Amino acid sequence: MTDAPNPNPPPPSNGQAPADIPANPPQSALRLHRELARAWANDRGIWGQITAVSHTTLGLRFMATAFVFFAIGGILSMLIRAQLATHQGAFLDTELYNQIFTMHGSIMMFLFAIPMLEGLGIWLLPKLLGTRDMAFPRLTALGYWCYLFGGLIMLTALLFGVAPRDGWFMYTPLSDATHSPGINADVWLLGVTFVEISAIAAAVEITVTILRQRAPGMKLTEMPLFAWYMLGTSAMMLVGFPPLIAGSVLLEVERAFDWPFFDPLRGGDPLLWQHLFWLFGHPEVYIIFLPAAGAMSTIIPVMCRTPILGYGAIVAAILGLVFLSFGLWVHHMFTVGIPHMALAFFSAASVLVAVPTAVQVFAWIGTMWKGRPELHLPMLHILGFFLTFVMGGLTGVMLAIVPFNWQAHDTAFVTAHLHYVLIGGFVFPMMAAATYWMPLITGKARVKGLGEAAFWVILLGFHGTFFIMHLTGLLGMPRRIDVYPDNPEWVGLNLTSSIFGFVLTIGFAMFALDLILQACLGQRARRDPWQAPTLDWAMLVPAPNYNFAALPLPRHQNMPARDAIQALARGEGALAGAPRARREVLVTSASHARPCHVALLPGNTALPLVLSGSIAVFVLLMLGSLYVLAALALVPVAVLVWVWVRGMAPMGDLHPVAIAPGLHLPVHHRANSPTLAQSGLQALLVADGALFASLLFGVAFLSVVTQGPPPPPSAAGGGALGLVLVGIVCALALAAGSAGLARRRSALWPWAGVVCNLVALALLAWVAGQLDDPRAHARDALRAAMAGYVGVHILVATAMAAFTADQFRRGEIADATGRGAIPAWANWQMFTAVTTGITVAVFVVQAGVT
């Protein structure tokens, strides 16, 4: 029996210490399960797959799709190895080989590694943190569909022979319109940028979920290490991916409209592309490594029956890696002629990054030494990681030394190092994670034998393939060649690598078959088969969409999973059941996880699919050079975004929700504390700021470093232009002030914000008409690009102000507690004003306007 609801609940409270929150009385576990299953279930059939927004469904879908792309990338690698097995290389012609080579690297980086870690984080984090879903379920679904459509665009291009062919790093000038005509390079630039929507969405999701949705009382300093790893990963994605997006957009604009960002004859510089790419590319290595390391920090203590050694040291190492990873990008550019002082700095930083990595490795070894390791299949894959990744780390230190780098740069030695780091540091841990969490995914136990055989075949095939490539590299074999008729000394080594490459492929096929057999033929798995201490096993097997019938309180978080299962299933935690037939999650404070309010999450919807399809139409029209139609295609995108945000308006019962006896919290529409949406926008603005900083980096690089021809005299100078630029900033400052005053619940201020933004937009349009021809010089092209950046942000600010005014009209923020979109508009408006002010300062300095 359950207590009858209190007809006069106490006022909302969020000041109660989580340790003092009383548990709900025990209830019928079966009734709670049925109640929650109805509220959190996917719709049936194919429509249910289209409209699902559950983190469990989407996380598995991310990982399954990434595995399919991994298989496709593996097939392409077999074609590469078949081509290199003989010195004549008669298997593929040069054009097709270059496409396959480029697509292999692009698939493995952008369509396998990043989505796989996203999928693992989306699926696992709520289970470890003691919550029911990610912060923004529809955003998760949008990210998946953008990832799928972007990947399909790239694969379709390969089938039709127009795939990118300039390497997965697309160096200019090889990838400009002159040296790479056709749409091949455009497929990469637009496809990868499309896929990056998924990465930014996942980074926002993960950041907000970790900071705002931990179980009550789960302090930052006490949360599972996997969450720390994913928090570091998401921070790196928010800062590391925008430079690639900026570079891709600039290169696509150069190819489409002849704006010379990278043309040295008109003041551009090909090295600007390399800087922007590797500002993403080197943090990318640690973005891939950190989630895999998080999986190992979760699995090793369970396999060794002892707590992890050095929790604090590992957290410090994670933070150190996040910081240091952004100071290493130039070590990919040691041979381009940068100054010796820069060579010394980046070489030292590249060696220093080995320290936090070593801290983690020694902590794992110490945990195994302290405990009693049990050689289950996940532990075998972890041992494979140690053997492989440490060797890759050692060759990485070698490549960090400038004289050796000059000798080995752009040879097969670098290819071997890359694969030792990525397969050793990511694929082996991901295989350990798959075999460890498969019972929770499928509810089935392993069919023993095949998985162990697959591990040994993979280990043998991998080292046979890539260890020998170190030798071919030291013998001078360059990367990205398809024939080598004048180098018979490479034939035997390449043939051996190719044979072992096929052995490696057989091993991966065996691994996939093992997972399929477990899902189809395995016996029913018992709950918590590993006897783990973590919350991910304190639930039904397979895991339900809602994860927990009641959210774990501190007393449950400190229990072994086998002891917490029954208590949570009976609703003895917080926010038990779904008595209001809606998807409710508890929002807590960022540091100490004090309960703040209850967020009502959206249910199943096809809106993410429709929105991502509209974006895909825009991308396809851009590929077809139909730029006017592409601009018109953004209209339905804007309409769908408006509909999306309208769906966040308050509906139904908004009374305080009973969390535990004596504790009632408001729903997020009536909360005084920052909502999930506000936290998400702040995370998005971090990425937006990184994008703006990338443009400023381009301005500084071309102004200070590039030794190209000087820009022609500017016709855009003069006091009138300066006054108009100042007027834009003043108008945006007034709009920001209106956003602040709108908190007084007056509909006048949003309309004032609309007017001020429109004035700023009109002034900016006049300024754009006065700017020099962006095709004449890179300086002018970057000015136009920054003006475009400002214009987009003012346009969005105008829409947000209008949306806020519409909320006033609808009465959604008429009372004293409803705030609607006001905080989001205020944050965006302030960001727009600040970035516009910086842009104006750049214009004034460059134009000589005082």
Side-chain angles (χ1 to χ4, degrees), residues 233 259 291 313 426 461 551 561 565 576 599 681 747 796 826:
T233 299
W259 292 16
F426 183 73
L551 305 184
I565 290 174
L681 180 61
V796 173

Side-chain angles (χ1 to χ4, degrees), residues 439 442-445 518 521-527 540-542:
T442 64
K444 303 290 185 65
Q518 179 173 353
L521 303 178
Q523 296 181 349
R524 183 173 179 81
R526 67 181 188 274
R527 294 182 183 180
L540 298 175
V541 175

Side-chain angles (χ1 to χ4, degrees), residues 50 52-53 58-59 61-63 65-66 69 110-111 114-116 118-119 122 136-152 191-205 237 606-613 615 644:
I50 291 174
V53 295
L58 291 172
R61 193 179 298 171
F62 261 106
M63 291 189 284
T65 307
F69 280 119
F110 298 107
L111 303 182
I114 295 296
M116 179 63 77
E118 292 171 10
I122 289 168
F136 310 111
R138 292 184 301 176
L139 189 62
T140 306
L142 175 67
Y144 173 76
W145 292 116
C146 288
Y147 157 53
L148 179 63
F149 291 157
L152 290 178
V192 166
T193 302
F194 191 13
V195 171
E196 295 310 297
I197 297 175
S198 172
I200 297 297
V204 171
E205 276 266 54
M237 292 169 71
L607 185 57
L609 173 62
V610 177
L611 179 55
S612 60
I615 301 173
W644 181 300

Side-chain angles (χ1 to χ4, degrees), residues 580-607:
R580 291 154 293 277
R582 59 194 187 189
R583 302 185 180 190
E584 299 172 342
V585 295
L586 185 62
V587 179
T588 55
S589 62
S591 178
H592 290 82
R594 294 179 180 273
C596 295
H597 59 266
V598 174
L600 307 183
L601 300 186
N604 301 321
T605 174
L607 185 57

